[in-house]
Amino acid sequence: MPWPPDLARLLTLRVWHAMWLQRVDTKIAALQEREAEQEHGQKNRPQEPDWIVELGIGKGRPPTEVHVGGCYAAGNRRRPVPRNEARRLLTSGVRACTHCKPDAQLRVLDGERRSGW
């Protein structure tokens, strides 16, 4: 013989399910908000520069290394430079990054660096 319906237990179950649904809805809303913020941040992020010069420490902060924009090996002390400035720095003796190889991309040959072309 089946149990008779117990109104008090059914109402309690209904409240518990409503609480769980509210928790799930809150979590869904938070995740949707987070995704929207990430999407907004990526759309409004400034474009990476094509070339980066890494700066040294001390007076005048001399350039120490040239990188392709977005190189993971570039340090925190850096500034974007245009293509002709990156090429000029490489030909004047500033070191090229060994990871991203800006000298190869800018087609700066070893002879050009030595002669100061």
Side-chain angles (χ1 to χ4, degrees):
M1 186 159 148
W3 292 92
D6 185 3
L7 184 59
R9 283 194 317 178
L10 290 175
L11 289 173
T12 302
L13 278 174
R14 185 175 184 272
V15 169
W16 287 354
H17 283 286
M19 287 181 356
W20 275 108
L21 246 140
Q22 184 180 11
R23 287 181 185 175
V24 169
D25 288 344
T26 302
K27 185 69 172 177
I28 288 171
L31 290 173
Q32 286 175 333
E33 184 178 347
R34 183 176 179 195
E35 278 184 11
E37 287 172 355
Q38 287 176 344
E39 199 173 294
H40 182 268
Q42 287 184 359
K43 283 181 184 176
N44 293 333
R45 179 175 290 157
Q47 188 177 9
E48 281 190 4
D50 292 333
W51 309 101
I52 299 170
V53 63
E54 189 172 347
L55 303 172
I57 300 173
K59 189 174 185 177
R61 297 175 61 178
T64 59
E65 199 168 41
V66 177
H67 299 271
V68 173
C71 176
Y72 70 91
N76 290 332
R77 295 178 316 274
R78 58 183 166 181
R79 67 178 167 86
V81 291
R83 178 184 178 89
N84 59 350
E85 176 72 7
R87 188 171 171 75
R88 186 190 67 74
L89 287 168
L90 287 170
T91 56
S92 69
V94 176
R95 186 176 57 187
C97 174
T98 57
H99 298 284
C100 62
K101 302 183 186 332
D103 50 347
Q105 291 191 28
L106 288 169
R107 297 193 173 137
V108 175
L109 305 174
D110 285 336
E112 291 177 34
R113 279 195 229 157
R114 283 193 287 268
S115 66
W117 179 69

